[in-house]
Amino acid sequence: MTMSAGWYLRRLSRMRPREVGGRAVDTLRRRRWRSARPKCPSVTGARFTAVLPEGAIAAIPPDAAKRLVAEADRLMYGHVEYFGVVRDDLADPDWWCDPKTGRRAPWGYAFDVPYRDEDTVGDIKQIWELSRHQYLTVLAAAYAITGNERYAERVAEHLRSWWAANPPLRGVHWISGIELGIRLLSWVWIRRLLDGWPGVAALFEDNPVALNQLWHHQRWLAAFPSRGSSANNHVIAEAAGQFAAACAFDWFPTSRRWRDEALRSLERQLRANTFLSGLNRELATEYHGLVLELGLAAVAEADAAQVPVPATLRLVLLRMTDALAAVVDNRLRPPRQGDADDGHGLVLDGAGTDRWGSLLATGDAVFGRLDWWPAVTGTDVRTPLLAALIKAGPPGVTRPADRPAHFADAGLTVLRGPGEIWCRCDAGPHGFLSIAAHAHADALSVEVRHDGVDVLADPGTYCYHGQPEWRRYFRSTLGHNTLRLDGADQSVSGGPFLWTRHAGSRVLAVDTSDDAVSRWSAEHDGYQPSVHRRSVELTANTGELSIVDEVSGPRRAVQLAFHLGPAIAADLVGHRARLTWIRDGEGRSAVLDLPGQLTWQAHRGENEPPLGWYSAGFGRKEPTTTLVGTGFTDATEGFTTVLGFRGQEGV
């Protein structure tokens, strides 16, 4: 996907003068760097001191260690899966090859590589993911747990291969700051976890090639931070990676300056990226997880290096952890909201480890759990290792006495009912910053689960680059459980990560204080002069969820969509759908009574145009049932949908 002149004009229109000036300076610097690459300063006597405290490895739960080693063995045999693509070439990877398309990214000056053009480069996410080196942190952790040197030797082999294939400023791995930041964090942990291996000093501090890479990575991040309208989760990864490296690899004349500048940026940007309620401002849940992982990893490096950090930084991480504990369902699944690309800040665990349970376990170890937090029964490797490094306790602040249900600043409300009914209602801002890069056109959408099973589902993300028709669908209004007028999205897209007009939403009323009935209502102005208003009511004694949609203004064509989860079978007759599914070997069912004023049709796995799909993770999609009602608005009547849950049915 190449960007047209029109896209550049639309993108420029979303920038403020200061950002435009900063980007102009970046452009001039890139031109200078093409021919003037300074050399890494000489380093002598470098020593790595940011080691794990004694007993940290022994504190890893046996089942978590077993999963980690099993994952490491799969990696040793060359097997890995990224974004739905299974590859078996990991024993000797080609760092520039996209296994999905078979294309190999071109060589050249980094900033000349057209990384958005899949026809030239391949799927850039597939190429970049391996070079985050998070699979190498898993191998390094396997060495730390088992002492088996074959893991350490594979790590060393791959790092030397990567460093040789990717000299500074050459190729696709020197384009994006988030990639450099996360890679640095991985290298810090690789060095830490290999500390007992006899060859580790020769791999890192006594290796001129490694020193050159470390210096150039940090110099790059200091020169090209994400700016202005792009200062979202990327800038957090950049600052966290640079801070971690400057603390752990403090071997260069500029290390202290890089460390201090990165810490200031990290503290400032964490506050800017986070609502006071603790939810991430991008309103994309997976990026909440990414930012929280990066922040916790950065604090661990600060404490390991005895570098004081502002109390506000820890406070933001505490609020983010409490917010996560508040919004998950009974199976510890958070909302599926906004973009998701399966990105992680620090990977130290094997397959089968629950990401969200791991984050809550770390929060418990670092900050202490509150009485209303959900129980975490799973184990992980990352928590005891981070907890061994993080020394300071939680900030002395007041935390929520009861589980929050409504996050006013984020416009997110969770209604809960019997039988583990969980309903997310969305009336938040349309994403973060002027481009709202990771937002979806999903104002007033709902997401409903029963005992952790998606019933009315958010379909997910699926892709970023290379497949524009699928990118448009998964972020469209029709791709969410909300109402569309005249076949248009509520917000106007200017490109795959750019919105040029944002729908404005506001919550009108929330009442979750009554144990019998909880209510929410909100409206948005994305279809001016019309206004879409939605009310949701959950009745506890019947387990019934009522959704009422009203549209003010002139008569217009309407589509009302409800996307069912992939586990749900639907039998649609007229305007009633009987829903069935299986959970833990038991049959479950519900009835969805749809507005009779509309004509209803079930869609499943359609391609032209896309409709009836669910993406469980980046690069993966599967058919599911989407119910779409069509008709016209009427100022005097609304559209009422009722979802009624029934008891279990043995199967």
Side-chain angles (χ1 to χ4, degrees), residues 415-492:
L415 309 181
R416 299 177 188 270
E420 304 299 351
I421 298 172
W422 177 98
C423 173
R424 172 183 64 87
C425 304
D426 173 28
H430 180 72
F432 180 48
L433 302 173
S434 61
I435 64 172
H438 291 297
H440 290 187
D442 58 355
L444 308 196
S445 64
V446 297
E447 184 184 4
V448 181
R449 298 177 192 155
H450 186 277
D451 195 14
V453 174
D454 292 316
V455 179
L456 301 182
D458 184 299
T461 299
Y462 179 55
C463 66
Y464 281 171
H465 301 289
Q467 298 172 281
E469 70 281 7
W470 291 101
R471 177 67 172 150
R472 284 192 294 269
Y473 169 68
F474 276 99
R475 68 205 290 258
S476 71
T477 298
L478 184 61
H480 294 84
N481 297 317
T482 188
L483 181 145
R484 182 167 80 155
L485 295 182
D486 294 340
D489 285 338
Q490 309 151 337
S491 296
V492 177

Side-chain angles (χ1 to χ4, degrees), residues 138-151:
V138 171
L139 292 176
Y143 166 76
I145 290 170
T146 66
N148 190 326
E149 293 192 1
R150 70 189 184 102
Y151 300 117

Side-chain angles (χ1 to χ4, degrees), residues 350-643:
T353 302
D354 180 63
R355 176 186 196 176
W356 309 104
S358 170
L359 277 170
L360 292 178
T362 303
D364 184 4
V366 173
F367 302 122
R369 72 186 311 277
L370 297 172
D371 290 341
W372 53 262
W373 274 29
V376 176
T377 57
T379 62
D380 69 311
V381 172
R382 187 176 60 191
T383 288
L385 299 187
L386 285 175
L389 294 173
I390 298 176
K391 307 300 182 186
V397 296
T398 301
R399 298 166 67 185
D402 300 298
R403 189 176 203 172
H406 176 58
F407 297 81
D409 49 9
L412 185 149
T413 305
V414 176
L415 309 181
R416 299 177 188 270
E420 304 299 351
I421 298 172
W422 177 98
C423 173
R424 172 183 64 87
C425 304
D426 173 28
H430 180 72
F432 180 48
L433 302 173
S434 61
I435 64 172
H438 291 297
H440 290 187
D442 58 355
L444 308 196
S445 64
V446 297
E447 184 184 4
V448 181
R449 298 177 192 155
H450 186 277
D451 195 14
V453 174
D454 292 316
V455 179
L456 301 182
D458 184 299
T461 299
Y462 179 55
C463 66
Y464 281 171
H465 301 289
Q467 298 172 281
E469 70 281 7
W470 291 101
R471 177 67 172 150
R472 284 192 294 269
Y473 169 68
F474 276 99
R475 68 205 290 258
S476 71
T477 298
L478 184 61
H480 294 84
N481 297 317
T482 188
L483 181 145
R484 182 167 80 155
L485 295 182
D486 294 340
D489 285 338
Q490 309 151 337
S491 296
V492 177
S493 172
F497 296 97
L498 171 64
W499 295 92
T500 57
R501 183 174 63 76
H502 303 180
S505 302
R506 68 186 185 111
V507 175
L508 302 174
V510 173
D511 184 2
T512 59
S513 61
D514 190 336
D515 291 338
V517 181
S518 52
R519 300 179 176 89
W520 170 91
S521 65
E523 64 183 21
H524 78 83
D525 63 1
Y527 293 120
Q528 296 181 9
S530 299
V531 173
H532 173 207
R533 177 176 294 180
R534 169 170 278 187
S535 300
V536 178
E537 182 175 285
L538 177 59
T539 305
N541 62 346
T542 61
E544 187 174 272
L545 187 78
S546 172
I547 303 170
V548 179
D549 291 291
E550 300 171 287
V551 181
S552 65
R555 189 171 189 261
R556 303 174 72 170
V558 62
Q559 290 174 295
L560 181 59
F562 291 106
H563 301 261
L564 307 181
I568 308 300
D571 181 17
L572 175 66
V573 178
H575 57 88
R576 168 171 282 193
R578 184 173 186 270
L579 314 181
T580 56
W581 66 97
I582 295 174
R583 180 57 152 166
D584 297 333
E586 297 179 321
R588 314 280 178 101
S589 67
V591 172
L592 186 63
D593 284 315
L594 301 158
Q597 311 99 304
L598 303 177
T599 301
W600 289 89
Q601 185 174 352
H603 302 264
R604 184 176 182 86
E606 299 174 8
N607 293 311
E608 297 181 358
L611 188 59
W613 294 92
Y614 178 95
S615 174
F618 197 84
R620 294 174 285 152
K621 68 180 190 298
E622 60 185 299
T624 191
T625 301
T626 296
L627 306 175
V628 179
T630 59
F632 293 90
T633 63
D634 189 318
T636 62
E637 64 178 300
F639 305 103
T640 299
T641 304
V642 178
L643 175 61

